[in-house]
Amino acid sequence: MKYDLLITSEPNETRVAILENNKVVELYFDRKDKESVIGNIYLGRVQNIMPGLDSAFVDIGIEKNAFLFVKEVVTPFEETDKELKREIKQVLKPGQMLVVQVTRVPMGTKGARLTSFISLPERHLVMMPYDEGVGVSKKLDSQERLRLRKLSEKLKIKNFGIIIRTAAEGVQLYTLNKELKYLKRLWRSIQKRVRRLSTPTLIYKELDLSRRVLRDRLTLNFNSIIVDNSHLYKNLSYYLKKKIPQMRSKLQLYRGEKPLFEKKGIERVINLALERKVWLKSGGFIVIDKTEALTAIDVNSGRFLGKGSFKETILQTNLEAVEEINRQIRLRDIGGLIVIDFIDMEKESHRKKVVDAMKRELESDKATTNISDISEFGLLEMTRKNVTEGVQEVLCKPCPYCDESGYILSEESMRLKTEREILKITRENKSEAFLIELNSTVAAMVIGQGGENLRRLEDITKKHISIRGNDSIPINAFNLVKQGTRSEIEKAAIPVYQGQILDILIEEPHSYISKDAISRIGGYVIHIIDGRKYLHKRKRVKIIDITKTHAQAEIV
C-alpha cells in the first residue's frame, strides 16, 4: 500500500489529507476560530452531579461544560474494592477541582467528553500516570510484540503505565528510554502547574493538527509529505529532524501554480464527502443518511446489470460497496452506530464473503470498530469510535430553511471557499480588477473588519477586488459581476460620489457602533452617522467619505 500525506495551510485554516494508493481516505480540518481541544489537559471544577446518569458536568474554562462519566474518574476508591460499583456522588462533589483530559471534542449540542485517566502520547510510547503495567500495540506481529515486551522490562517504570505504539516497530531501547524520560519531565511540569492554579484553565495543549498527524499517523510506508506553506514546511522539517529523522527526506514544499488540494483533486473529494449519494464504478451507488441515533447506509445496484447470474451481480455490487463504504466512513469520520443495508443475498457463503471483506477493510481504520454478521433482514451493524467532528459537522450547519433536517455550508466554510475561488479566478485571468457579488453575511466576512481581510487577498493576488453584498442571494452564491481595469471596476462597484445627497431608508443598526446605522445601495454599504434613532425611516443623507467597501454619510 502506497501512502501520501498532503497539508495545505492558510491563515484561517489548515487541512490535511491522507491518501492510500492515490485515493483520499482521511481528512482533517483545523480552523483558527474553532481550534481542536482533543488531547488537551485542563484543571476543571465539578459544576453539577447527575446521579441518574452516573456522570458530572465539569467547567474546564471553555464555552460549554464538559461531560465526565464515573468510570472515567481516577480515585483511591478503586484500590480498596474494585468489584464494588461506584456511584458518581461517592467520588465527586460540586466545586471539587480535578485534572482532566479531553477524549472527544464537543459535537452539536453536546460538550466535550473527559477522562481523568491522563495519557501523554509520544511517537513510540504513551505514558499513563494513573495506570499500571505495559501494553503493546496489537497491530504488531507476535514476534515484534514479544521483543518490545522484553525491552520494556529494562525501562524504569514505577507507579505509572505505558503503551508501546505501532510506530515502535524495530526501535531500540535507547529510543524508548529517551521518550520515557521526556514524558516523565512533561508530567512533572503539568503537576507543578496544577499546584499553582485554583481556577478552571488549560494546563497542557496538544500539538497542532499538522504535527499531531505526523506523530500519530506517519509510518515508514509513507511515500511523501507535501506541504504548500513555507513557514509550516520549516516547522515540520524541524519536528521531523527531532522526532522522525528517517522521514525528513520525504518532506516536500509544493510550489505549483494551482493550489495543492485542487491540483491533487482533493477539493472535489471534499465536496463529494458532503453528498448523500456516492456512485460506484460499476454503476451502483450507496446512500448515506446521518441521524441523531445512527448512520444508515443503503446499497443499490443502480445501473449495474452484471455479466453473470443475478446472484453474482448482487454479490459483486455488495463487495464493491464494501470498499467504498469503508472509505466514506473514514473520509467523513462517521462514528457511533452504523447500519448497512446490503442488497439481499440468498447464499450464506455470499453473506460471509461480504462480512469478511468488511473486516479486511476495517483493518486499515485507526478507529476502534466492532462488526456483526449480516442479519436475516440483510442488515450489517457496526460501531465506530470517532473522537473528532466529521467533515459534515466541520464544514456545515443545520439548514434553517428545512427545520434543520438537512445541512448547508456554514458562513465560515463559505468564506474560506469564496477566498479559494477568488484566488483561482485572479490567478487564471489577466484582468487587473474584479467585482464579485456574495450573500451579505459572507461578503462582510470576506471583507473583514475595516477591510483587513480583503486587503490581504489583494496583497496575495496583486489584483483589485471589489465585493458587493446582496441579502437576496443564497449563502453559497458566488457571482463574478464584472472584470476589467481598476477604474472600470471602481466605477461599477461604487454607486455614490462624495457630496451626493440621497433620500434613503435607514435599514438596520450598525453592528458595533451603537449610535450609527447602515443602508445599502445595490449591496454597497452606506454607514450613517447617528442614524440608529431613525431606523426603518426614510431620511436625506449626505455622502462625506467613500471607500472601496462602504461610504460614510451624515443626516442632513
Side-chain angles (χ1 to χ4, degrees):
M1 191 78 75
K2 174 190 166 188
Y3 296 91
D4 295 283
L5 178 61
L6 276 60
I7 306 172
T8 180
S9 179
E10 300 162 2
N12 295 300
E13 184 181 49
T14 297
R15 299 181 293 165
V16 176
I18 294 178
L19 282 64
E20 284 181 5
N21 291 339
N22 295 318
K23 279 190 174 182
V24 185
V25 291
E26 292 177 37
L27 290 167
Y28 300 95
F29 302 82
D30 196 14
R31 290 185 169 176
K32 193 175 181 181
D33 68 330
K34 196 179 180 183
E35 288 186 342
S36 174
V37 295
I38 193 76
N40 286 359
I41 299 174
Y42 295 85
L43 178 63
R45 177 185 287 120
V46 177
Q47 291 290 95
N48 306 99
I49 300 293
M50 295 173 292
L53 297 175
D54 247 351
S55 58
F57 280 120
V58 181
D59 175 11
I60 57 173
I62 63 176
E63 186 180 354
K64 287 180 183 174
N65 285 339
F67 200 71
L68 178 65
F69 284 107
V70 68
K71 66 180 181 180
E72 296 293 344
V73 181
V74 176
T75 67
F77 181 89
E78 289 186 316
E79 297 172 10
T80 58
D81 192 345
K82 293 188 178 181
E83 298 301 317
L84 189 62
K85 185 181 183 297
R86 299 185 305 168
E87 294 181 8
I88 193 71
K89 61 186 179 183
Q90 291 176 315
V91 295
L92 292 178
K93 299 285 183 275
Q96 183 177 337
M97 305 298 290
L98 71 165
V99 179
V100 288
Q101 186 170 30
V102 177
T103 59
R104 189 170 178 174
V105 298
M107 294 187 186
T109 58
K110 298 174 183 176
R113 189 173 293 178
L114 304 174
T115 183
S116 61
F117 289 92
I118 306 300
S119 60
L120 300 174
E122 258 294 285
R123 170 73 175 165
H124 305 106
L125 296 176
V126 178
M127 178 185 173
M128 298 170 295
Y130 297 124
D131 214 325
E132 57 185 21
V134 176
V136 182
S137 170
K138 292 180 180 178
K139 292 187 177 180
L140 297 169
D141 63 51
S142 57
Q143 194 173 347
E144 180 62 8
R145 291 181 73 204
L146 182 61
R147 184 187 76 87
L148 290 169
R149 277 201 179 276
K150 286 181 178 177
L151 280 186
S152 70
E153 292 171 4
K154 300 176 184 178
L155 296 172
K156 292 180 180 178
I157 302 168
K158 189 179 179 182
N159 299 324
F160 63 87
I162 64 165
I163 295 173
I164 301 177
R165 309 182 75 179
T166 309
E169 184 175 10
V171 303
Q172 300 306 312
L173 182 62
Y174 169 79
T175 304
L176 299 180
N177 248 326
K178 185 179 176 183
E179 274 198 7
L180 189 58
K181 286 178 182 176
Y182 166 75
L183 291 171
K184 285 178 178 178
R185 288 197 305 272
L186 175 60
W187 179 237
R188 284 196 295 270
S189 71
I190 289 171
Q191 289 176 303
K192 275 185 184 178
R193 285 206 69 194
V194 170
R195 286 193 287 269
R196 293 198 303 264
L197 298 168
S198 57
T199 57
T201 188
L202 176 67
I203 300 170
Y204 166 77
K205 185 172 176 56
E206 244 286 38
L207 296 177
D208 60 75
L209 175 62
S210 302
R211 288 182 294 170
R212 194 166 69 243
V213 170
L214 290 183
R215 181 194 68 197
D216 296 338
R217 301 292 293 119
L218 190 65
T219 67
L220 301 182
N221 294 329
F222 274 75
N223 187 56
S224 64
I225 308 158
I226 306 174
V227 183
D228 69 353
N229 180 292
S230 57
H231 179 69
L232 182 60
Y233 172 83
K234 289 175 184 175
N235 286 343
L236 295 187
S237 180
Y238 176 76
Y239 179 81
L240 289 171
K241 180 183 177 182
K242 190 176 178 184
K243 300 288 185 180
I244 323 171
Q246 63 270 45
M247 294 299 290
R248 193 182 178 199
S249 62
K250 301 289 181 73
L251 183 65
Q252 304 170 27
L253 177 61
Y254 177 75
R255 299 180 183 274
E257 287 188 14
K258 269 191 174 184
L260 175 60
F261 272 31
E262 188 182 329
K263 173 81 173 176
K264 299 291 184 178
I266 298 170
E267 295 291 2
R268 180 175 172 275
V269 173
I270 293 172
N271 291 333
L272 288 175
L274 298 173
E275 296 288 333
R276 181 170 174 259
K277 182 186 285 188
V278 180
W279 287 96
L280 307 174
K281 286 182 180 178
S282 65
F285 61 90
I286 61 173
V287 177
I288 303 171
D289 285 309
K290 200 166 184 183
T291 71
E292 193 74 24
L294 55 84
T295 299
I297 302 177
D298 186 33
V299 181
N300 296 274
S301 57
R303 299 189 296 263
F304 182 49
L305 302 175
K307 295 180 180 178
S309 69
F310 177 62
K311 292 177 183 177
E312 289 296 327
T313 299
I314 289 173
L315 175 62
Q316 196 174 336
T317 305
N318 283 338
L319 288 173
E320 186 184 7
V322 163
E323 184 180 346
E324 189 60 41
I325 286 168
N326 279 281
R327 178 171 174 248
Q328 291 298 325
I329 286 173
R330 291 173 64 190
L331 196 62
R332 301 172 189 229
D333 199 16
I334 298 172
L337 178 61
I338 302 167
V339 179
I340 305 168
D341 184 8
F342 286 106
I343 305 170
D344 288 341
M345 295 169 284
E346 292 180 14
K347 288 187 176 182
E348 177 63 32
S349 60
H350 285 187
R351 291 196 289 271
K352 187 176 185 306
K353 280 184 179 179
V354 171
V355 173
D356 289 344
M358 278 291 294
K359 288 177 179 176
R360 284 195 302 273
E361 288 291 333
L362 288 170
E363 286 175 2
S364 57
D365 192 346
K366 69 179 179 65
T368 303
T369 57
N370 288 297
I371 181 172
S372 73
D373 289 330
I374 295 176
S375 73
E376 60 181 303
F377 303 112
L379 303 176
L380 182 147
E381 296 177 27
M382 64 174 285
T383 59
R384 182 175 185 272
K385 185 178 180 182
N386 68 332
V387 296
T388 65
E389 294 180 292
V391 174
Q392 187 182 78
E393 287 76 9
V394 171
L395 299 183
C396 300
K397 68 173 188 176
C399 175
Y401 305 108
C402 59
D403 198 23
E404 300 190 355
S405 62
Y407 286 83
I408 59 171
L409 284 177
S410 66
E411 288 87 349
E412 176 65 8
S413 292
M414 199 57 219
R415 176 181 77 83
L416 294 166
K417 187 175 181 181
T418 297
E419 289 182 5
R420 287 192 284 271
E421 189 64 27
I422 288 171
L423 295 174
K424 181 181 178 183
I425 64 167
T426 54
R427 184 182 65 250
E428 294 176 351
N429 202 296
K430 293 182 179 179
S431 298
E432 66 173 341
F434 301 84
L435 173 58
I436 297 161
E437 184 180 57
L438 305 168
N439 173 274
S440 296
T441 303
V442 178
M445 294 174 76
V446 172
I447 291 167
Q449 193 167 339
E452 181 181 349
N453 196 53
L454 185 57
R455 285 194 293 274
R456 179 184 64 81
L457 286 171
E458 290 184 317
D459 288 342
I460 293 170
T461 61
K462 309 301 182 192
K463 301 288 179 79
H464 176 84
I465 303 164
S466 287
I467 303 294
R468 176 192 292 170
N470 187 339
D471 285 335
S472 65
I473 64 175
I475 198 170
N476 60 348
F478 182 96
N479 301 329
L480 178 58
V481 178
K482 190 177 178 64
Q483 55 187 321
T485 64
R486 180 172 182 140
S487 59
E488 289 171 337
I489 296 305
E490 284 179 340
K491 187 176 180 181
I494 302 174
V496 298
Y497 57 86
Q498 196 144 344
Q500 185 177 4
I501 305 293
L502 298 170
D503 181 49
I504 201 166
L505 177 68
I506 314 295
E507 294 177 9
E508 58 187 89
H510 196 284
S511 56
Y512 54 89
I513 302 178
S514 59
K515 293 183 179 180
D516 297 357
I518 64 169
S519 294
R520 291 185 180 86
I521 298 176
Y524 183 75
V525 174
I526 311 294
H527 171 188
I528 302 163
I529 298 168
D530 290 329
R532 185 174 291 224
K533 55 190 171 185
Y534 302 112
L535 276 178
H536 312 304
K537 296 179 181 177
R538 297 197 72 87
K539 298 298 290 185
R540 280 165 59 83
V541 301
K542 181 181 181 181
I543 303 297
I544 58 172
D545 189 34
I546 292 174
T547 73
K548 188 170 62 173
T549 56
H550 70 279
Q552 201 170 56
E554 60 185 9
I555 305 289
V556 295

